[in-house]
């Protein structure tokens, strides 16, 4: 089991101290960086929008991306199963 280490993050203007593993700290820091970038990008496009609404919009955009990636992964896995079935059938004839 990996040892937990503290990580200090600044996300959307708030400081957080989270526990993670040494291996997970890089991903966590990168996630915070990407979230801040996405938020700031949207804030530049809609400077008068309330911060809480901006946060919700960023969350919705990110969730759309997650859903899209999950759908792509499921389609890939389906294609992989079809290919395996085809290969199994070909092997049966040889």
């Amino acid at each position: 089991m990996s040892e937990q280490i503290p990580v200090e993050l600044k996300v959307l203007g708030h400081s957080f101290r989270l526990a993670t593993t040494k291996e997970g700290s890089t991903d966590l820091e990168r996630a915070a960086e990407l979230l801040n970038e996405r938020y700031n990008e949207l804030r530049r496009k809609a400077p008068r929008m309330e911060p809480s609404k901006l946060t919700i919009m960023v969350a919705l955009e990110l969730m759309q991306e997650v859903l899209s990636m999950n759908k792509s992964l499921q389609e890939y896995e389906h294609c992989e199963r079809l290919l395996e079935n085809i290969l199994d059938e070909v092997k049966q004839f040889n």
Side-chain angles (χ1 to χ4, degrees):
M1 187 169 175
S2 296
E3 183 180 336
Q4 295 286 302
I5 61 167
V7 175
E8 297 283 337
L9 298 174
K10 186 150 185 161
V11 181
L12 307 180
H14 300 279
S15 295
F16 294 91
R17 183 178 174 98
L18 303 171
T20 186
T21 62
K22 178 82 171 158
E23 300 80 27
S25 66
T26 302
D27 288 341
L28 190 58
E29 289 167 347
R30 181 67 180 136
E33 183 181 317
L34 290 171
L35 183 58
N36 286 328
E37 287 174 8
R38 189 69 68 93
Y39 179 87
N40 290 330
E41 179 183 319
L42 190 57
R43 188 172 60 173
R44 282 190 295 277
K45 291 178 184 176
R48 295 174 193 239
M49 189 180 288
E50 295 173 30
S52 61
K53 289 183 180 180
L54 282 173
T55 303
I56 292 168
M57 293 301 296
V58 170
L60 286 172
E61 284 181 6
L62 292 172
M63 287 311 302
Q64 282 181 311
E65 288 180 21
V66 167
L67 291 172
S68 176
M69 283 188 259
N70 281 341
K71 184 178 177 184
S72 294
L73 181 59
Q74 288 173 352
E75 290 170 355
Y76 173 81
E77 289 172 345
H78 178 71
C79 290
E80 201 172 42
R81 282 192 303 276
L82 288 174
L83 182 58
E84 286 175 9
N85 290 339
I86 291 168
L87 290 173
D88 287 343
E89 288 180 20
V90 168
K91 286 178 186 176
Q92 288 176 1
F93 289 113
N94 288 334

